[in-house]
């Protein structure tokens, strides 16, 4: 511990907090600022000058039209686009036609019908906290969801429309998602 240079830790300014660049609006110096959404570069003359820019520039892809593709809703061409949730495929006539295709769409033959409304199918979703779950595609009319991958098989004990796959200490098993039913069997 005696070989540590204490002068390194006594500095009040961090090396990355100084940006030796001038504000394009007022000519004052820019520096790294912090907010609840993360770091950004802002003008030191803040209340009178409101210039800011992101610390990291994310490269946005330009819309690329997919030749020979056709929108199932309006017949226009589809294009690869970039949005706030990542890259997706959408219609080129966007405000008029709002058709989009998810990159992880499942085969309709594998689709599990919702046991609650019998109209929608169970889709894989991610919560805002990053947790994975499966919910009915007819949301908001049907609010049925399960936390584990559903399987299109009726419960032999209670007759509920689906079972879910769960991993336990003994390995993978199928079980009924109803709390009142205790049906479980190894997969």
């Amino acid at each position: 511990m005696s070989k540590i240079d204490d002068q390194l830790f006594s500095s009040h300014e961090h090396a990355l907090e100084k940006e030796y660049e001038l504000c394009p609006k007022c000519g004052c110096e820019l520096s790294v600022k912090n907010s609840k959404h993360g770091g950004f570069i802002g003008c030191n003359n803040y209340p009178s000058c409101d210039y800011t820019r992101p610390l990291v520039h994310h490269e946005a892809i330009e819309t690329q039209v997919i030749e020979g593709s056709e929108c199932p809703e309006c017949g226009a061409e589809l294009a690869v686009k970039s949005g706030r949730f990542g890259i997706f495929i959408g219609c080129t006539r966007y405000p008029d036609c709002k058709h989009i295709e998810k990159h992880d769409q499942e085969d309709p033959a594998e689709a599990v019908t919702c046991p609650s409304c019998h109209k929608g199918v169970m889709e894989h979703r991610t919560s805002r906290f990053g947790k994975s779950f499966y919910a009915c595609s007819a949301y908001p009319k049907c609010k049925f969801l399960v936390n584990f991958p559903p399987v299109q098989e009726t419960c032999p004990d209670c007759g509920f429309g689906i079972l879910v796959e769960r991993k336990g200490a003994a390995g993978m098993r199928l079980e009924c998602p109803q709390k009142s039913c205790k049906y479980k069997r190894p997969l």
Side-chain angles (χ1 to χ4, degrees), residues 19-91:
E19 177 76 21
Y20 296 105
E21 193 176 333
L22 299 179
C23 175
K25 280 188 172 180
C26 70
C28 190
E29 223 174 65
L30 297 175
S31 63
V32 175
K33 311 277 187 189
N34 291 303
S35 74
K36 65 180 179 180
H37 302 293
F40 64 95
I41 295 176
C43 184
N44 287 343
N45 197 12
Y46 167 59
S48 49
C49 178
D50 62 349
Y51 176 78
T52 61
R53 75 164 191 252
L55 196 57
V56 179
H57 291 284
H58 294 288
E59 202 171 303
I61 67 161
E62 291 191 27
T63 302
Q64 299 173 354
V65 177
I66 303 169
E67 300 296 326
S69 62
E70 188 176 305
C71 176
E73 293 180 19
C74 70
E77 287 186 312
L78 295 174
V80 178
K81 298 180 177 189
S82 177
R84 70 178 196 175
F85 296 114
I87 298 171
F88 65 97
I89 296 173
C91 185

